[in-house]
Amino acid sequence: MESETMNGRMKNSDIAETQSSFLPAMKALPISAVKQNTVLQTLVGGAGEPEKECDREDMLRAQEEWEALETLQTGLHSEKSGLLGDFPGQTSLISFNEALQYFQTADMSEYKKKIQPAVRRSGLSLISHLLFGPPRLSKELHAERDLVLAIAQCPLDSSQQVHIRVLQTIYKRLTGARFDCPLYGSHWEQLGFQGLDPSTDLRAAGLLGLMHPLYMAMEPKTLPLAHDIFRLSQHHTQNFPFCIMSINITRICLQALREERVSKECNRRQQVFAVLNDFYVATFYHLYHIWKTQNKTISDSGFVLKEVESFAKRNPKELLRQLDNYLQERPLPKDLSPEIWDQQPIESSNQNRSNGNICFTGVCEQQVQEDRLI
């Protein structure tokens, strides 16, 4: 039975209420705050008792215990968040222009030796191309074109901070993550790579295979489209590996550049990177539109990519016009922060790919002639 207050003492119900509200509040405080909290000091010292001086050794020992407990708490937080224990901090997002500036100032001579700027033609094919083919790229743009092809030869290097920032930026912008993720692990399969190490898939297009999705994810006008494509790639029946598909789109862009399919637009705008970025987004949008409206699945990937490649090379101007119309019709959202992918769990699409025994086939895996290689 509840006792009344006597001699200034509180009711049992008041004491219970105070304890119930006090304990959760204490648990919610970080350890560093609890350590300095005067309420905790009062409880330890005893209410209404005179303060006792502690020995210096006891104080040092207590301080070491608190610091050790704080270190343990930080380590548990890192493990729970999926972060690397020895990660030196969270990397900042990188823009396309900043990444491009890095490649413009880096020594790319090793990779420029490997490039083949244009498709080799001979005989009637050469004569037909000279008479009826697209215009040649302006000589003033050859250096920029060669840099594009050199980046496509450059592998992902985990020791290069810019390379890692590009990779982490793509991951954060597409998935909505706020923290860095480990450089190796199954989370890259969630993004659409085929293994635990993204560098193995990037051999087909080098760092250009990251520069293109970086542009689409960092450009405000194309970020909603990137989210739409990524969401479709996680669909329970229409799923596909986003990054592998993106690399195939980059391969199509490289081949179109080497075949001078986009030279006319490059000459008109006096740019190569900007035109190729727009061509990449337009090609990816065209594939996305076909995939979504025609209910394509992973088993259709090879056929869809061939269709998209053929259309992109024949009608680059029409492809860019379709993208422009789409971007104009879809207004930019007020909040451009990455959305939460709550329609289908990411694990479901990966499970379907593994259990269905369906191997993704695309441009990168098809038998191609020598003049189609990067």
Side-chain angles (χ1 to χ4, degrees):
M1 188 174 85
E2 185 178 275
S3 64
E4 300 294 333
T5 55
M6 296 180 63
N7 300 326
R9 290 181 297 181
M10 298 175 63
K11 297 180 180 180
N12 292 342
S13 59
D14 294 338
I15 295 175
E17 182 179 357
T18 302
Q19 291 177 343
S20 62
S21 61
F22 171 77
L23 292 177
M26 291 299 296
K27 291 180 180 179
L29 288 174
I31 290 178
S32 59
V34 175
K35 180 175 63 176
Q36 300 175 355
N37 195 282
T38 57
V39 177
L40 181 61
Q41 294 174 359
T42 303
L43 291 175
V44 173
E49 296 182 4
E51 296 183 0
K52 299 179 181 179
E53 294 184 0
C54 298
D55 294 338
R56 183 174 181 80
E57 294 182 359
D58 294 338
M59 290 292 294
L60 291 176
R61 189 181 302 109
Q63 180 72 18
E64 292 175 356
E65 291 176 357
W66 275 110
E67 291 176 354
L69 190 56
E70 286 180 342
T71 303
L72 177 62
Q73 185 191 46
T74 303
L76 291 175
H77 174 72
S78 298
E79 182 180 355
K80 183 178 179 181
S81 302
L83 307 178
L84 289 177
D86 56 352
F87 221 81
Q90 299 305 312
T91 58
S92 58
L93 299 181
I94 187 172
S95 66
F96 176 86
N97 288 335
E98 184 181 354
L100 177 59
Q101 186 177 12
Y102 162 80
F103 288 110
Q104 290 173 334
T105 56
D107 183 11
M108 303 293 289
S109 57
E110 176 186 354
Y111 307 112
K112 288 183 179 180
K113 296 177 183 178
K114 304 176 183 179
I115 67 174
Q116 184 180 336
V119 174
R120 295 172 183 172
R121 293 183 174 88
S122 60
L124 293 177
S125 176
L126 176 61
I127 297 175
S128 175
H129 180 75
L130 293 175
L131 294 177
F132 308 106
R136 291 195 167 188
L137 186 69
S138 174
K139 291 184 178 180
E140 291 79 7
L141 300 176
H142 282 188
E144 189 176 355
R145 176 203 60 191
D146 293 348
L147 181 58
V148 171
L149 299 175
I151 295 175
Q153 292 287 339
C154 181
L156 176 65
D157 186 354
S158 59
S159 65
Q160 292 291 340
Q161 182 67 10
V162 172
H163 293 196
I164 301 307
R165 286 180 63 195
V166 170
L167 191 62
Q168 294 284 359
T169 298
I170 296 172
Y171 182 84
K172 292 175 185 177
R173 297 287 279 183
L174 290 180
T175 65
R178 300 196 177 193
F179 300 101
D180 288 349
C181 59
L183 300 182
Y184 307 98
S186 59
H187 50 278
W188 295 118
E189 295 177 344
Q190 299 172 0
L191 200 63
F193 288 103
Q194 289 186 325
L196 308 182
D197 183 4
S199 62
T200 57
D201 293 324
L202 289 170
R203 293 171 185 169
L207 263 295
L208 193 66
L210 292 181
M211 291 291 285
H212 278 161
L214 174 68
Y215 169 81
M216 184 166 63
M218 290 300 290
E219 188 68 21
K221 65 179 181 180
T222 58
L223 177 59
L225 175 60
H227 285 169
D228 289 343
I229 298 175
F230 184 70
R231 187 184 295 109
L232 180 62
S233 74
Q234 308 300 318
H235 194 271
H236 63 287
T237 57
Q238 292 187 267
N239 61 80
F240 57 86
F242 177 90
C243 285
I244 296 298
M245 189 72 80
S246 172
I247 293 171
N248 278 276
I249 299 297
T250 297
R251 287 291 302 271
I252 294 175
C253 294
L254 284 169
Q255 194 62 23
L257 176 65
R258 294 176 63 246
E259 291 180 3
E260 298 181 316
R261 304 281 185 171
V262 293
S263 294
K264 184 176 181 180
E265 184 66 15
C266 290
N267 293 339
R268 186 183 71 84
R269 295 169 57 176
Q270 284 298 296
Q271 293 175 314
V272 176
F273 272 106
V275 172
L276 211 62
N277 285 340
D278 291 342
F279 188 73
Y280 162 84
V281 177
T283 305
F284 216 159
Y285 165 70
H286 185 65
L287 182 142
Y288 161 77
H289 181 72
I290 292 176
W291 200 279
K292 184 176 182 179
T293 57
Q294 299 182 18
N295 297 318
K296 299 298 183 180
T297 64
I298 193 66
S299 60
D300 303 314
S301 58
F303 302 101
V304 174
L305 278 168
K306 286 182 179 179
E307 179 183 346
V308 170
E309 180 182 12
S310 177
F311 181 85
K313 289 181 178 180
R314 292 196 320 267
N315 308 285
K317 186 176 181 180
E318 174 64 18
L319 201 70
L320 293 171
R321 188 189 65 82
Q322 289 179 1
L323 174 65
D324 186 60
N325 291 340
Y326 171 80
L327 295 178
Q328 289 182 1
E329 292 174 359
R330 174 169 182 170
L332 290 177
K334 295 181 180 179
D335 182 12
L336 290 177
S337 60
E339 302 174 15
I340 302 299
W341 313 114
D342 54 357
Q343 292 189 353
Q344 289 295 331
I346 291 179
E347 291 79 10
S348 64
S349 61
N350 295 328
Q351 188 176 11
N352 289 336
R353 284 195 285 268
S354 59
N355 294 341
N357 296 324
I358 298 176
C359 181
F360 180 84
T361 57
V363 174
C364 299
E365 300 174 4
Q366 296 171 3
Q367 294 294 329
V368 294
Q369 299 177 359
E370 182 181 358
D371 63 354
R372 294 191 59 194
L373 298 176
I374 296 177

